[in-house]
Amino acid sequence: MNTLKQSKGGFWCSFTNILLLLPVLGGIIAAQDDVSEDVYELDPFTISEAAQDGYVASNSLAGTRSNTDIKDIPLNIQVFTNDLTEDFLITSQVDLERYNASLVNGGADVHSNNTIQQSFNQFFFRGFQQNWGLRDGVRQYDPIDTQGLSRVEIVKGPAAALYGLAYPGGLMNSISKTADLYRNFTNLNVTIDNNGENRSTIDTNISHEGDHGRMGIRFNAAYTESKDYRRNSEGLGQFYQVNLAWEPVKSTKFEFLYEYGYREKPVGLGTFFTPEVDANGVGLNNGSAVPIQETHPDIPYDWNWSTKNMRTLKVDLIKGKITHTFNPDFTLTAYWQHSNRWQVDSDGLNASGMGGSAASWDLGFSSQGGNATGWLNPNTPDESIAMHWHHRDWNNKVWAYGFTGVYNLEFESFQNLFTFGYNAWSEDFISIKHTVPGGSPSIIHFPVRANIDIETPIGPPPDMFVDVAGNHQTQDNSNEYLFASWQMTALDGRLKTNVAVNKADFKLVQWNTGASLVPDSITEDSEVSPLFGIVYELTDEVSLFAIRSSSLFPTSLRNDFQIQLPPLVGKSTEFGVKLDLMDGRISGTLSYYTITQEGGGVRDPNAENRNKTIWDTLTPAERALQFPGLTREQLTDQTGQLGDVVDGAETESKGWEADLVFQATKDWQIIFSYAHNQIEIVKHPNDALVGTIPFSGPIEDQFSLLSRYSFSDGSFEGLAAGLGYHHAGESFQGTFNGINRYSPSTDYVEVFLSYPFEIGSYDAHLRLNVKNLTEQSNAIGWKATGSSQVA
């Protein structure tokens, strides 16, 4: 099989558009800065935004739960700074995933920066699927507007010893901005692009010292009217964040954060597909999926049947925090937070196959009969695009609280830093579906051609109902953990060790439908996760490191006998080199890792299930009555599938990575990331699956490059230019008739120019950003090659 590329449209700026739009492209940043001369000593849970040098950050919070030099942490860590996100107009932490090679965002839309949700099960970290990250060390869903973030830290490898439940590939920790107690500043930013999208932001901070100590208030906001080259693509984004800080005395600080975010993007910006057919119009069973534009050349790829039915995301977050320093060696922080996330994946006319919402997978299913929607009777005189009204939403209410302490204990020959704490997290999750019965008269048919009027009714039809019995899911998810870590420095600072342990308890209560009066399943477990790491300085420029760590993630799977299957447990061994060459001009990490994950459940069609057990107790006559016409081997479990779900599979991910920062000159910075990853099943009840890739999406080879050059003197003094480049190899998409299928490799390039000037007493910048300079397109569909040897 091979892939069909979407080759029409799909870019932010062509060279012609750039020349036409130079007068209006770019942004203006106004800044006024009043920096106090007082020395501000940060607590061990804070990293100053001013402590970074452009794209380079030397410290991390996520790697140890306290402020630690990255070169002293036995992990591969990359930090994305606020300067980087501003230069490249990156509006959510999801879009940063392009620039670390160990990450794969398989659902990324290269044509838009308005991300509603990271595509489910399409984000990969070192080959493993991952569906959520951390916000200030606490589990939170994406996306987060970067206007409210000071940095994003990528910690590679299992980290359950520090964060309880964690994925085996690693974690992404988004760190919020905080109020500054010692500076006054205002930053304004206005951006316009050639498709008509515009974004405005503000970041302002006021500090004051009075009789009751120091106080600070910081306000961040962003407003975006999103739009890309596709028809009907207009969306919206709003973000507000308020940070307060009060330091009544030097040893105590109170902090408060309130945040509101809203995004909307039209459903149905995708296309429809049909299988290839023979000369008689009969579909070929070859796994093909041909886009509608290929059989209807008059329909351009920028056309869609979107009815302005919006996919929306609204998030409220509130957080309180107190930090107290008991003495120079002991500091404690405690926090409480609550977030309410409401995502509406569709609310209006939809068609199965439109893409971009829940309509892609549950539109045609209901407890009152299915509906035929989508591209009906394709490539015939009776073809149409059929839609009906559909609503699907998800609501997550999350509470979290906990504390973290840091204690420093020094002896004459070595130093000890102890970090310890407790965290509790709980989530109420509910998903509700509204749809119409099978055969509903409210189905609307549209012609299969471009540039038609999409006339939609006002409000839902009278036969729309809440599908409580069909697809109404509820969960109560909670976990808590205790953790402790010990960092030791010895041998005149050449030896650093990190030992950590975490005990996590988790519970998952599930109701499969709204008709369930009692929970359909309750999952409880408790696990201990250790970590052992070491860094040894061979020279002032080269250090060796090694680490053994684990991950932990619960599963709700039970077998046919209602026996709970074990949680997913990952174990990793990693070693490598940390570099700090040429007086720090070249720094970074080279490492090799092996991660294995076992637990959970896989289906074994030959496994014993309840029906097989019953079979063994019956006489031949009784078997003929209870299981007419069936053999023992044909008996299914309660879900109607052969055999049962069993424990016994193991997946292995291994590879090597390079993350380097090169300060070529005082004005030129380069960040390079490369990853080679291989993931496969190494143990399975079905021997035929050993050696195969466990899911679609992983990419074996990736690399990315970020570069910025600033002119510090001469005629172009103040001018800055930057380049972002990402290459992804072929992406595995599955196997058909024994042949592996891959999406093609991709290349993405973006550039920016920034120039400073003055507006009155304000400093300002003019910025030009060009996204998707290579006009990278999405790879969509499959078409037969006519060869059994070519995928």
Side-chain angles (χ1 to χ4, degrees):
M1 309 295 293
N2 67 357
T3 57
L4 292 172
K5 282 190 176 181
Q6 179 177 334
S7 58
K8 303 173 184 178
F11 56 90
W12 281 71
C13 296
S14 68
F15 284 111
T16 303
N17 289 331
I18 292 170
L19 294 175
L20 292 174
L21 294 164
L22 277 175
V24 296
L25 287 174
I28 295 176
I29 303 173
Q32 188 175 42
D33 207 340
D34 176 18
V35 181
S36 171
E37 296 180 357
D38 293 346
V39 177
Y40 183 27
E41 185 173 338
L42 297 175
D43 62 67
F45 310 108
T46 304
I47 293 180
S48 171
E49 293 173 45
Q52 63 191 28
D53 181 14
Y55 299 170
V56 180
S58 59
N59 288 25
S60 168
L61 288 173
T64 61
R65 298 292 296 264
S66 63
N67 190 348
T68 306
D69 289 341
I70 293 175
K71 65 182 180 65
D72 295 335
I73 303 173
L75 289 163
N76 191 335
I77 297 175
Q78 182 181 11
V79 176
F80 292 115
T81 66
N82 189 54
D83 286 348
L84 188 153
T85 58
E86 287 188 351
D87 280 347
F88 288 96
L89 287 178
I90 293 173
T91 61
S92 81
Q93 91 286 12
V94 172
D95 293 332
L96 286 169
E97 292 160 8
R98 177 179 292 119
Y99 291 117
N100 189 280
S102 63
L103 310 178
V104 177
N105 184 0
D109 183 353
V110 295
H111 310 300
S112 172
N113 63 356
N114 189 355
T115 304
I116 302 299
Q117 179 190 18
Q118 188 158 271
S119 297
F120 183 72
N121 280 346
Q122 293 190 53
F123 171 53
F124 299 89
F125 203 139
R126 284 186 167 177
F128 288 101
Q129 290 176 327
Q130 187 160 317
N131 283 315
W132 51 259
L134 300 178
R135 174 76 177 273
D136 301 322
V138 180
R139 174 177 170 179
Q140 183 165 325
Y141 298 96
D142 46 61
I144 306 165
D145 198 302
T146 53
Q147 185 62 25
L149 301 179
S150 65
R151 55 164 53 191
V152 177
E153 300 186 351
I154 307 296
V155 178
K156 303 183 182 182
L162 298 173
Y163 296 97
L165 306 188
Y167 292 98
L171 60 90
M172 174 182 284
N173 189 30
S174 301
I175 298 176
S176 303
K177 291 180 178 178
T178 58
D180 195 314
L181 294 172
Y182 283 76
R183 292 192 302 153
N184 298 321
F185 58 83
T186 298
N187 295 290
L188 303 173
N189 190 7
V190 179
T191 306
I192 304 172
D193 86 3
N194 67 313
N195 286 312
E197 175 166 316
N198 61 77
R199 176 175 167 90
S200 304
T201 65
I202 182 172
D203 182 0
T204 184
N205 189 93
I206 300 173
S207 64
H208 173 73
E209 183 177 16
D211 295 338
H212 301 288
R214 286 191 172 271
M215 302 186 69
I217 180 171
R218 186 172 185 175
F219 176 71
N220 273 276
Y223 179 83
T224 304
E225 293 180 350
S226 64
K227 186 179 179 181
D228 58 63
Y229 81 101
R230 293 166 292 194
R231 312 286 183 90
N232 309 314
S233 62
E234 294 84 355
L236 181 67
Q238 296 174 328
F239 176 83
Y240 310 98
Q241 184 189 79
V242 178
N243 280 283
L244 304 175
W246 175 39
E247 191 178 72
V249 293
K250 279 287 187 182
S251 60
T252 304
K253 181 168 65 173
F254 297 89
E255 294 175 274
F256 171 83
L257 178 150
Y258 172 74
E259 183 176 292
Y260 169 83
Y262 175 81
R263 292 170 179 250
E264 67 178 28
K265 185 177 181 179
V267 174
L269 298 181
T271 190
F272 296 95
F273 301 88
T274 185
E276 289 184 291
V277 297
D278 60 19
N280 298 317
V282 178
L284 300 175
N285 185 26
N286 59 9
S288 59
V290 181
I292 197 172
Q293 285 85 355
E294 297 300 314
T295 59
H296 293 67
D298 57 310
I299 301 176
Y301 272 97
D302 66 355
W303 171 255
N304 53 73
W305 280 263
S306 174
T307 61
K308 298 300 181 72
N309 166 17
M310 290 293 177
R311 191 180 193 200
T312 63
L313 172 65
K314 183 172 70 173
V315 180
D316 289 283
L317 173 68
I318 184 170
K319 179 177 181 178
K321 179 180 174 183
I322 179 172
T323 303
H324 182 71
T325 300
F326 293 87
N327 58 57
D329 295 319
F330 180 37
T331 301
L332 189 71
T333 185
Y335 74 92
W336 175 91
Q337 74 176 49
H338 170 65
S339 65
N340 185 7
R341 181 180 189 275
W342 186 33
Q343 179 174 320
V344 178
D345 271 345
S346 60
D347 187 23
L349 280 179
N350 271 320
S352 182
M354 288 180 74
S357 75
S360 299
W361 57 271
D362 76 349
L363 180 59
F365 302 94
S366 84
S367 60
Q368 297 184 21
N371 288 287
T373 65
W375 183 14
L376 302 186
N377 305 309
N379 305 313
T380 71
D382 297 325
E383 67 180 356
S384 67
I385 304 296
M387 303 185 194
H388 76 213
W389 202 283
H390 175 272
H391 174 100
R392 161 70 80 178
D393 65 47
W394 317 84
N395 181 236
N396 307 76
K397 294 183 179 180
V398 174
W399 295 263
Y401 60 90
F403 71 88
T404 302
V406 172
Y407 181 68
N408 184 46
L409 180 62
E410 296 188 17
F411 293 100
E412 187 172 330
S413 57
F414 61 94
Q415 298 177 335
N416 302 275
L417 185 68
F418 298 94
T419 306
F420 56 91
Y422 167 81
N423 173 271
W425 180 93
S426 65
E427 173 193 35
D428 290 342
F429 166 85
I430 185 170
S431 172
I432 300 176
K433 175 182 177 180
H434 304 243
T435 188
V436 297
S440 169
S442 65
I443 294 178
I444 299 177
H445 295 262
F446 296 95
V448 184
R449 63 174 185 268
N451 304 314
I452 64 170
D453 291 330
I454 304 292
E455 297 181 2
T456 62
I458 300 175
D463 58 347
M464 189 170 179
F465 68 99
V466 180
D467 196 2
V468 174
N471 209 328
H472 179 115
Q473 302 170 359
T474 305
Q475 293 180 6
D476 286 341
N477 186 10
S478 62
N479 66 75
E480 61 179 352
Y481 62 79
L482 290 165
F483 78 95
S485 73
W486 170 37
Q487 298 169 251
M488 185 192 72
T489 304
L491 302 180
D492 295 325
R494 296 177 64 187
L495 176 67
K496 287 99 175 176
T497 65
N498 191 355
V499 179
V501 65
N502 186 301
K503 181 182 182 298
D505 300 303
F506 49 87
K507 182 177 182 180
L508 175 60
V509 182
Q510 290 183 298
W511 293 261
N512 294 338
T513 72
S516 301
L517 298 179
V518 296
D520 292 283
S521 65
I522 300 176
T523 303
E524 292 184 90
D525 212 331
S526 178
E527 294 286 337
V528 174
S529 302
L531 177 150
F532 306 93
I534 185 172
V535 178
Y536 182 75
E537 291 186 8
L538 292 178
T539 69
D540 291 340
E541 295 184 327
V542 179
S543 298
L544 302 179
F545 79 92
I547 189 168
R548 176 71 172 174
S549 60
S550 58
S551 65
L552 172 66
F553 205 81
T555 177
S556 59
L557 288 176
R558 294 170 179 260
N559 66 14
D560 203 32
F561 300 94
Q562 293 302 299
I563 297 175
Q564 176 62 47
L565 292 168
L568 294 165
V569 176
K571 296 181 180 179
S572 172
T573 299
E574 184 171 0
F575 56 88
V577 179
K578 288 181 177 284
L579 304 175
D580 191 16
L581 308 175
M582 300 173 60
D583 295 325
R585 290 173 59 189
I586 298 178
S587 60
T589 305
L590 308 175
S591 67
Y592 176 84
Y593 63 87
T594 300
I595 307 172
T596 59
Q597 180 177 269
E598 56 186 5
V602 294
R603 178 156 298 278
D604 181 2
N606 300 316
E608 297 289 305
N609 55 44
R610 289 180 61 87
N611 283 333
K612 289 184 177 182
T613 302
I614 294 171
W615 172 284
D616 293 336
T617 66
L618 302 177
T619 66
E622 290 171 332
R623 292 169 186 167
L625 288 175
Q626 188 159 345
F627 303 105
L630 297 176
T631 65
R632 188 179 190 278
E633 290 72 24
Q634 293 173 325
L635 298 180
T636 63
D637 68 0
Q638 58 182 342
T639 67
Q641 301 181 72
L642 285 175
D644 200 1
V645 178
V646 300
D647 181 24
E650 182 178 316
T651 302
E652 180 184 68
S653 172
K654 58 185 178 182
W656 66 276
E657 297 171 343
D659 289 283
L660 299 172
V661 177
F662 180 32
Q663 188 78 39
T665 68
K666 65 182 180 68
D667 298 321
W668 188 14
Q669 290 181 335
I670 301 171
I671 297 178
F672 174 78
S673 180
Y674 172 79
H676 173 78
N677 172 265
Q678 292 177 300
I679 186 168
E680 64 179 14
I681 297 172
V682 294
K683 185 171 69 173
H684 197 282
N686 183 352
D687 291 338
L689 294 178
V690 173
T692 63
I693 300 174
F695 26 65
S696 63
I699 296 174
E700 190 168 301
D701 290 284
Q702 287 197 117
F703 66 86
S704 61
L705 180 73
L706 287 163
S707 179
R708 172 191 169 101
Y709 187 85
S710 303
F711 294 86
S712 58
D713 51 34
S715 302
F716 298 102
E717 181 178 356
L719 178 68
L723 166 73
Y725 172 61
H726 172 246
H727 171 80
E730 293 180 327
S731 173
F732 175 74
Q733 297 298 313
T735 302
F736 187 82
N737 289 339
I739 302 296
N740 288 343
R741 301 194 301 190
Y742 295 86
S743 291
S745 60
T746 60
D747 292 276
Y748 181 94
V749 176
E750 59 181 312
V751 297
F752 80 89
L753 291 173
S754 176
Y755 188 75
F757 60 97
E758 293 184 357
I759 301 177
S761 60
Y762 289 90
D763 295 331
H765 285 80
L766 176 68
R767 180 183 289 119
L768 168 69
N769 286 79
V770 185
K771 298 279 190 178
N772 200 7
L773 191 60
T774 48
E775 300 185 15
Q776 177 184 319
S777 297
N778 294 325
I780 58 174
W782 297 97
K783 188 175 181 180
T785 63
S787 169
S788 61
Q789 303 301 316
V790 180

